[in-house]
Amino acid sequence: MTYDDIPHLSARIKPKQQKVELEMAIDTLNPNYCRSKGEQIALNVDGACADETGTYSSKLMDKQTFCSSQTTSNTSRYAAALYRQGELHLTPLHGILQLRPSFSYLDKADAKHREREAANEAGDSSQDEAEEDVKQITVRFSRPESEQARQRRVQSYEFLQKKHAEEPWVHLHYYGLRDSRSEHERQYLLCQGSSGVENTELVKSPSEYLMMLMPPSQEEEKDKPVAPSNVLSMAQLRTLPLADQIKILMKNVKVMPFANLMSLLGPSIDSVAVLRGIQKVAMLVQGNWVVKSDILYPKDSSSPHSGVPAEVLCRGRDFVMWKFTQSRWVVRKEVAAVTKLCAEDVKDFLEHMAVVRINKGWEFILPYDGEFIKKHPDVVQRQHMLWTGIQAKLEKVYNLVKETMPKKPDGQSGPAGLVSGDQRVQVAKRQAQQNHALLERELQRRKEQLRAASVLPGVRIKEEPVSEEGEEEEERGAEEAEEPMDTSPSGGLHGRLANGLPAGRAAGGDGFNGHPPSGSAGTPVARELRAFVQATFQRQFVLTLSELKRLFNLHLASLPPGHMLFSGISDRMLQDTVLAAGCKQILVPFPPQTAASPDEQKVFALWESGDMSDQHRQVLLEIFSKNYRVRRNMIQSRLTQECGEDLSKQELDKVLKDCCVSYGGMWYLKGTVQS
């Protein structure tokens, strides 16, 4: 059955909305038509007393309404095709509508049902009430509508729906498929000029003509990525300009020799143009090209690990690249100490251009490309000038000392100037051996100081096996010389070497009676360290050496690069400064099976702070010098006995809060509790 076989009742259109509505008759005599269902639908829609104005005047659902909807917003890629006598005639389309069944009659049925229910309820209530009650009516006057409120109302969904409903329908007349008027309109789908003379402008290839006929959608071009983040399509890549090809390749590969780049771009690409383009997105390191930091970290980005802005990341990565222009090897801790970046960020920098070697550090990932260096000396010289500017900027930002910075020969560093990890270990061993004589002289000087101090009256000096300690520190110095991974300037807090000497020697010896020697107490470093210790113990009266070192590391992290405290602070120097600042070491009797480390067993406390609770705290510290843990009632009774007065609960709580922590009903000095 075709459209000509079905009598069409009407068709109408709303031009502004591009909405078409078509009413089509249903063949109620067809054996597939369910008559009982059609009668039920007509009854629900029009009710029992249906007239000519009803939706279904025949008391039978004998018509169906179809409403249009847009299938796509962009129809420039679609055309209507008509094939006739071996020719394909294409006509571009400016709009496509799809007709779908409309079920508005169901809404009418629901409305009729609600009206009947409302009428029944109203009839029941009118029988019970003879007269309606008088109700109070409140009258409100609407205020003038503001311009902003009017705009919101005009843009609301209800207003738009109302405007759409108010647009009048334009009724159309339907002509069948075989009607003469339909045939006349169908002739417009055929190209009027059938001779080949008029088609001389079609001189393009089939693929180019197809591209003109069906251009790529602008929406698809906007959504289509330039290139995948981890996989490159070479076919898609070669459709881009040369500068974009180089940038995408370097951004994905990170490090690449020039020969490999030329092989990826293809033999038809001019090497001079590639050299000009590569210098815009990469820097020359050991004859290889490494992508610039600002390509990987755009201006408005940040670190996924620490949230550091892109400017700081670029500066830190430039420092790593510059280090590789000086040597084949880079130590991660040294980079982290200078740049003050987290370990994850530094590891990302190194993984871009290096591989880790056990007990040696990070080695540059590619071998030295001497062939490129010899072939392009002008490029090498230009890159050397760029690196000189970057070096000057890094010296200023990170406050690097020029004397300690590696000297760079003219041009790019070659294999002859490279120092391997094994060679660095050997150099460190030789330096440790050369310092042996200096250590012996220092040991003799310390012994003489101890002998001189022992003759002073009223001074009690703890005897220690000085010579054995000197030998142990020499062994530790030799062991740490074999470990080249920790060369960070700020690593002196945990290490035992400072400027080539053991920490105890670098700090100026053990000092006199637990205090630093007078020669070092007046140095700027000693004054700065003492100020930190005093400020820390004013806030926390009791600290273990482990906690104090942690707080000192946090203090170092907050200091600007190149601060004097980065010169190397040993554990011994830190302890001597604590004792010189008015603190005392509390020898807490830890249990034999304690899991506390040696640094956690060294407990220091501020002996006098100048407040009213000094005496109470001193008694409390004496209690813990003989007991690892104490009950509260014992502390209170001892304080009452020593001070001669009863302490209030507030005073006792303050003393305990300053020095102790409670765990399991017992009180411990801070930092000594083992859960």
Side-chain angles (χ1 to χ4, degrees), residues 4-52:
D4 289 339
D5 300 327
I6 301 176
H8 290 77
L9 299 180
S10 64
R12 53 184 184 174
I13 183 174
K14 288 186 176 183
K16 292 183 180 179
Q17 305 176 35
Q18 295 184 357
K19 184 177 181 181
V20 176
E21 193 174 85
L22 182 67
E23 277 190 356
M24 188 167 55
I26 299 177
D27 186 7
T28 57
L29 301 178
N30 193 288
N32 296 323
Y33 180 80
C34 182
R35 192 173 184 84
S36 61
K37 195 69 174 178
E39 292 176 351
Q40 182 63 42
I41 292 175
L43 180 62
N44 293 337
V45 173
D46 296 329
C49 53
D51 52 11
E52 295 296 331

Side-chain angles (χ1 to χ4, degrees), residues 173-191:
H173 184 75
Y174 176 80
Y175 296 97
L177 181 64
R178 297 181 180 86
D179 192 273
S180 60
R181 296 194 181 187
S182 297
E183 182 64 27
H184 176 73
E185 292 292 333
R186 196 156 47 246
Q187 293 298 321
Y188 288 109
L189 299 177
L190 299 176
C191 182

Side-chain angles (χ1 to χ4, degrees), residues 79-256:
L82 186 62
Y83 187 77
R84 176 172 293 184
Q85 297 178 0
E87 296 178 346
L88 182 64
H89 300 261
L90 299 176
T91 303
L93 299 179
H94 299 285
I96 302 176
L97 297 178
Q98 182 181 11
L99 291 175
R100 296 180 179 178
S102 174
F103 301 98
S104 57
Y105 59 88
L106 296 178
D107 298 334
K108 294 181 180 179
D110 292 340
K112 288 284 186 180
H113 180 69
R114 286 193 293 270
E115 289 177 0
R116 287 194 294 268
E117 288 186 348
N120 293 336
E121 292 178 359
D124 295 339
S125 60
S126 61
Q127 294 178 1
D128 298 336
E129 299 178 3
E131 185 177 342
E132 292 184 357
D133 296 336
V134 178
K135 295 182 179 180
Q136 181 180 359
I137 299 176
T138 303
V139 180
R140 294 181 180 179
F141 296 93
S142 61
R143 293 180 297 178
E145 186 179 28
S146 63
E147 181 65 21
Q148 187 177 7
R150 191 190 67 80
Q151 291 180 358
R152 286 198 301 266
R153 180 177 59 81
V154 170
Q155 295 176 0
S156 64
Y157 176 77
E158 291 80 8
F159 183 82
L160 294 177
Q161 288 294 103
K162 182 179 179 182
K163 293 292 290 184
H164 290 170
E166 290 176 353
E167 184 180 359
W169 286 99
V170 178
H171 290 272
L172 306 175
H173 184 75
Y174 176 80
Y175 296 97
L177 181 64
R178 297 181 180 86
D179 192 273
S180 60
R181 296 194 181 187
S182 297
E183 182 64 27
H184 176 73
E185 292 292 333
R186 196 156 47 246
Q187 293 298 321
Y188 288 109
L189 299 177
L190 299 176
C191 182
Q192 301 300 322
S194 59
S195 61
V197 180
E198 299 180 1
N199 296 330
T200 55
E201 70 275 11
L202 299 177
V203 294
K204 297 184 179 295
S205 63
S207 60
E208 292 176 336
Y209 175 69
L210 188 61
M211 181 62 68
M212 292 174 58
L213 182 65
M214 297 180 60
S217 174
Q218 294 182 358
E219 295 179 358
E220 293 183 3
E221 288 181 350
K222 187 184 299 182
D223 297 337
K224 183 172 60 177
V226 176
S229 58
N230 55 352
V231 178
L232 285 176
S233 171
M234 297 306 298
Q236 180 186 357
L237 183 68
R238 285 171 179 165
T239 61
L240 301 175
L242 179 61
D244 293 340
Q245 294 185 43
I246 297 174
K247 181 178 179 180
I248 292 173
L249 283 172
M250 292 305 304
K251 187 176 181 180
N252 283 268
V253 182
K254 309 289 192 305
V255 184
M256 190 187 307

Side-chain angles (χ1 to χ4, degrees), residues 298-364:
K299 185 175 181 181
D300 296 330
S301 63
S302 60
S303 168
H305 306 294
S306 59
V308 173
E311 181 182 359
V312 180
L313 294 177
C314 291
R315 190 163 59 234
R317 189 175 180 273
D318 288 344
F319 177 76
V320 175
M321 293 170 62
W322 172 80
K323 291 290 289 182
F324 276 120
T325 64
Q326 311 298 313
S327 173
R328 289 283 301 176
W329 301 86
V330 167
V331 180
R332 180 170 61 87
K333 291 184 179 180
E334 180 181 355
V335 175
V338 174
T339 61
K340 297 295 185 296
L341 293 172
C342 68
E344 290 80 5
D345 289 333
V346 176
K347 187 176 180 182
D348 285 349
F349 299 159
L350 293 170
E351 287 178 344
H352 290 168
M353 62 192 84
V355 291
V356 65
R357 307 294 186 192
I358 299 177
N359 293 333
K360 293 183 179 180
W362 290 77
E363 184 183 12
F364 193 69

Side-chain angles (χ1 to χ4, degrees), residues 443 447 464-475:
L443 179 61
K447 288 182 178 179
E464 295 183 356
V466 180
S467 60
E468 294 180 3
E469 180 184 353
E471 294 176 359
E472 290 176 0
E473 294 205 6
E474 291 174 14
E475 293 176 0

Side-chain angles (χ1 to χ4, degrees), residues 590-651:
F590 283 83
Q593 303 298 328
T594 181
S597 63
D599 286 349
E600 292 175 342
Q601 295 186 30
K602 293 182 179 180
V603 184
F604 297 92
L606 182 62
W607 196 250
E608 293 182 356
S609 65
D611 60 7
M612 301 296 296
S613 302
D614 280 346
Q615 183 182 3
H616 301 156
R617 278 193 296 268
Q618 293 171 6
V619 173
L620 181 64
L621 295 174
E622 289 178 358
I623 295 175
F624 280 101
S625 65
K626 300 178 182 179
N627 302 275
Y628 173 63
R629 54 183 181 180
V630 187
R631 294 189 179 276
R632 181 187 175 98
N633 55 2
M634 178 181 175
I635 296 175
Q636 187 170 7
S637 61
R638 180 69 180 274
L639 287 173
T640 303
Q641 179 182 354
E642 293 291 337
C643 299
E645 56 180 355
D646 293 336
L647 267 71
S648 64
K649 184 178 183 301
Q650 291 78 8
E651 293 175 337

